[in-house]
Amino acid sequence: MTASMALAATDMVIFGGMGDLSLRKIMPALYYRFQEKQWNSDGRIFLLGRTGMDEDSFKKHLLEHGKNHIKEGDFDENVWNEFTAGVHYVLVNSEKSSSFDELKKIIDNNPRPVRVFYLATPASIFGKICHQLKSHELITPETRVVIEKPLGSNLESFKSINNSILECFQESQVYRIDHYLGKETVQNLMVLRFANNIFERLWNSDTVDHVQITVAESIGVGTRGGYYDESGALRDMVQNHLLQLLCLVAMEAPSHITPDFVRDEKLKVLNSLRPISENECQQMTVRGQYRSGSVNGEKVNGYTEDLGKTNSKTETYVALKAYVDNWRWSGVPFYLRTGKRMEQRYSEIVIQFRPVPLNIFPGLPSAPETNKLIIRLQPDESVKLQMTTKVPGPGGYRLQPVYLNLSFAETFDHRLPEAYERLLMDIVRGNPTLFMRSDEVQAAWKWSENILEAWKDTNQTIQSYAAGSAGPADAAVLLARDGAKWHEEF
Ligand code: BG6
């Protein structure tokens, strides 16, 4: 295990502390950091909730969730007990000023130098909470506020949520989480590009034919139907996670790996995305919704049955073609796709290089395959480079594509940490590099909103696809029109 950077003692205050995000993601991540001796017992964690709860039932509840959400081999009840000795339940009703008086008393009793307010609540109350924190003088210079999507449902609603937060906090104190940026392999994308000299010369329209970004999920909407039906795949996945991945692939090298240098470069990419007009939308985007089918041998319901609503027009799948209009990427399509209830859960980026200019091995059953760089983000994290080689033996040149394969599991003897572990520690350390700045979110909304509006105005149809399939037929057509096809290899 490598040594982790020490942290300043911190008060971590989680609004919505007894909710799903807190118990399923934040608490397990803090436990891992405690187990690895980074989050130490000087830190205090306050889980805020709206219902009265005695200490005993609180600790029991925590334990149950800890056991459920931490991998069996990693969960140690003694360590958990030590960790949760520093976790406290606080009854807070965000509507009531008196609740914040109480909270202030508790925090001000031996306050820690760093203070984090994590708003694991609906965005509709972010503003109210921030104003209460401000009027109760709970915001110190070393205070950060953490928020997470959905950050609005369009540009306007994002701006209104954002403004209400910025009335109380400085931009530098606001940490907008996109958990994809906390994934090890996503961070590795920057290292792959900017710590290896061999790719840079190839990383442009001279050599790259196109880029594919796939985030496929085998799960359906589960119990999140209420939220999801208002959102759909474009808002839920493309506007944030997929566009962030696109930025990391397309951005120029920042001169330093400092927060604003990195985010300035990402912003330039978002601002260079060619808007998809109403006329092109039908050709450049595909919307799909899953019907019943079978995933990994198990029969599953369709989306509308999952939802209990027969007439939903919400997309659970999107495929689209985007262009980054700058010198580096001029004319290179970026194909993005994401969907629920796909045959496999996997996220992957494929850089498809152009073919050799002339095939000097004629008379073969097939021309040399083009090179591809395949960056597998999850699961089975790896980087593979497809090369064409000669099959050994006599009989002339027989060519075959093979992989140079860097598998993370085989190369490193490390547990790959969960995204939230890295993100939470960066928040405490005050490093916002992996968080979205306000102008990035705005630019991402501006581009996505165009598509949402074009879909609405043209009433673009939703194609049905069977659960457990590779998605709607038109997603294949989207690439076939350009003589390309999706990389499908699990
Ligand atoms: C979330 C979306 O942001 O990301 C979910 O709201 C989606 O709908 C999830 O399932 C996917 O994240 P991961 O880390 O499992 O790929």
Side-chain angles (χ1 to χ4, degrees):
M1 195 195 309
T2 44
S4 314
M5 246 194 270
L7 292 183
T10 300
D11 280 325
M12 175 78 65
V13 185
I14 307 176
F15 286 83
M18 301 311 278
D20 192 59
L21 172 62
S22 165
L23 298 174
R24 206 161 49 83
K25 294 286 185 193
I26 306 174
M27 289 300 285
L30 289 169
Y31 164 82
Y32 275 115
R33 297 328 305 149
F34 180 84
Q35 193 178 40
E36 293 181 13
K37 310 222 178 315
Q38 193 174 23
W39 177 266
N40 59 43
S41 20
D42 292 342
R44 300 185 295 183
I45 300 171
F46 299 105
L47 300 188
L48 277 41
R50 291 169 63 106
T51 41
M53 194 178 283
D54 63 46
E55 181 72 9
D56 251 18
S57 16
F58 171 58
K59 289 281 155 83
K60 257 196 211 142
H61 197 69
L62 280 188
L63 176 64
E64 206 178 293
H65 280 274
K67 282 184 176 161
N68 284 344
H69 300 305
I70 294 167
K71 281 195 198 114
E72 215 180 311
D74 296 339
F75 186 80
D76 177 331
E77 198 160 332
N78 292 329
V79 179
W80 179 261
N81 290 338
E82 268 177 60
F83 164 63
T84 52
V87 183
H88 313 279
Y89 181 73
V90 187
L91 182 66
V92 166
N93 179 344
S94 333
E95 306 281 333
K96 285 195 180 153
S97 176
S98 55
S99 280
F100 286 82
D101 294 332
E102 279 305 307
L103 182 63
K104 186 170 168 62
K105 257 193 237 153
I106 296 171
I107 296 180
D108 280 355
N109 179 11
N110 194 8
R112 307 304 196 245
V114 173
R115 188 172 294 177
V116 176
F117 292 112
Y118 200 127
L119 311 189
T121 65
S124 52
I125 60 170
F126 287 173
K128 265 188 208 151
I129 296 178
C130 291
H131 279 92
Q132 290 282 11
L133 295 174
K134 185 178 175 191
S135 63
H136 285 79
E137 296 179 353
L138 276 157
I139 305 175
T140 62
E142 280 303 313
T143 294
R144 350 248 191 245
V145 63
V146 186
I147 54 174
E148 206 159 324
K149 72 169 234 290
L151 296 177
S153 55
N154 55 20
L155 183 58
E156 196 188 317
S157 53
F158 166 70
K159 279 187 181 163
S160 129
I161 295 168
N162 202 42
N163 289 343
S164 62
I165 296 170
L166 292 177
E167 280 159 15
C168 309
F169 288 90
Q170 305 290 324
E171 170 67 30
S172 60
Q173 295 178 296
V174 185
Y175 287 71
R176 298 177 192 83
I177 288 195
D178 182 313
H179 79 279
Y180 264 61
L181 296 179
K183 289 182 191 275
E184 277 292 322
T185 36
V186 175
Q187 293 163 45
N188 194 42
L189 246 179
M190 279 206 278
V191 177
L192 180 85
R193 287 198 54 204
F194 304 131
N196 292 287
N197 198 11
I198 57 172
F199 295 117
E200 173 53 23
R201 313 285 178 291
L202 308 176
W203 213 260
N204 57 50
S205 60
D206 290 346
T207 328
V208 174
D209 182 77
H210 69 263
V211 175
Q212 299 181 12
I213 302 179
T214 300
V215 178
E217 297 186 275
S218 53
I219 53 166
V221 286
T223 52
R224 296 169 71 228
Y227 150 75
Y228 195 89
D229 202 45
E230 293 290 309
S231 166
L234 192 100
R235 289 187 176 94
D236 187 50
M237 297 294 288
V238 177
Q239 187 271 345
N240 35 77
H241 307 322
L242 276 89
L243 286 186
Q244 286 292 322
L245 295 178
L246 183 150
C247 285
L248 294 177
V249 172
M251 71 196 246
E252 297 301 315
S255 1
H256 300 283
I257 187 99
T258 45
D260 280 337
F261 279 65
V262 172
R263 298 185 300 176
D264 287 347
E265 294 306 334
K266 288 201 288 160
L267 180 65
K268 285 184 207 157
V269 174
L270 291 166
N271 284 334
S272 310
L273 281 170
R274 187 188 302 169
I276 296 182
S277 72
E278 205 173 289
N279 295 339
E280 297 162 328
C281 207
Q282 184 79 42
Q283 289 279 311
M284 299 198 36
T285 68
V286 178
R287 312 174 68 199
Q289 190 185 78
Y290 65 83
R291 57 175 188 274
S292 59
S294 133
V295 180
N296 298 324
E298 191 196 325
K299 279 201 154 49
V300 297
N301 281 336
Y303 175 68
T304 51
E305 292 138 19
D306 276 348
L307 210 63
K309 183 174 160 192
T310 49
N311 58 353
S312 169
K313 292 271 181 285
T314 300
E315 79 287 351
T316 60
Y317 179 99
V318 182
L320 57 83
K321 177 157 88 162
Y323 285 101
V324 178
D325 280 342
N326 61 19
W327 274 35
R328 184 187 284 272
W329 295 115
S330 176
V332 176
F334 283 72
Y335 300 105
L336 274 46
R337 65 175 167 167
T338 182
K340 298 236 181 258
R341 283 286 187 234
M342 310 296 291
E343 51 192 330
Q344 295 277 342
R345 171 183 185 254
Y346 75 104
S347 303
E348 184 173 89
I349 297 172
V350 177
I351 314 292
Q352 171 82 56
F353 294 99
R354 295 189 187 284
V356 290
L358 175 74
N359 176 15
I360 62 159
F361 303 100
L364 294 172
S366 61
E369 285 257 352
T370 49
N371 299 117
K372 285 179 196 173
L373 184 69
I374 301 155
I375 304 161
R376 174 61 76 110
L377 306 175
Q378 61 185 25
D380 307 326
E381 293 78 359
S382 65
V383 178
K384 296 202 275 188
L385 182 61
Q386 179 178 292
M387 313 277 293
T388 300
T389 51
K390 177 184 176 299
V391 179
Y397 287 100
R398 280 177 298 134
L399 306 187
Q400 187 179 312
V402 291
Y403 287 129
L404 294 179
N405 188 354
L406 163 67
S407 146
F408 286 80
E410 282 166 24
T411 311
F412 298 102
D413 183 21
H414 286 197
R415 173 183 73 84
L416 283 192
E418 292 292 325
Y420 279 87
E421 293 179 52
R422 168 74 197 261
L423 296 176
L424 283 162
M425 296 304 100
D426 278 359
I427 293 164
V428 173
R429 281 193 288 253
N431 179 356
T433 311
L434 299 177
F435 298 82
M436 294 177 299
R437 212 169 49 191
S438 177
D439 46 8
E440 281 183 76
V441 185
Q442 282 200 37
W445 266 127
K446 198 167 157 207
W447 185 79
S448 309
E449 194 175 72
N450 244 330
I451 301 173
L452 289 166
E453 277 170 9
W455 282 350
K456 196 161 108 218
D457 294 347
T458 61
N459 214 356
Q460 186 165 324
T461 42
I462 296 207
Q463 298 191 355
S464 133
Y465 61 98
S469 71
D474 272 8
V477 177
L478 181 76
L479 273 70
R481 263 192 238 117
D482 300 338
K485 61 178 198 292
W486 293 107
H487 175 77
E488 309 272 7
E489 190 182 15
F490 306 124

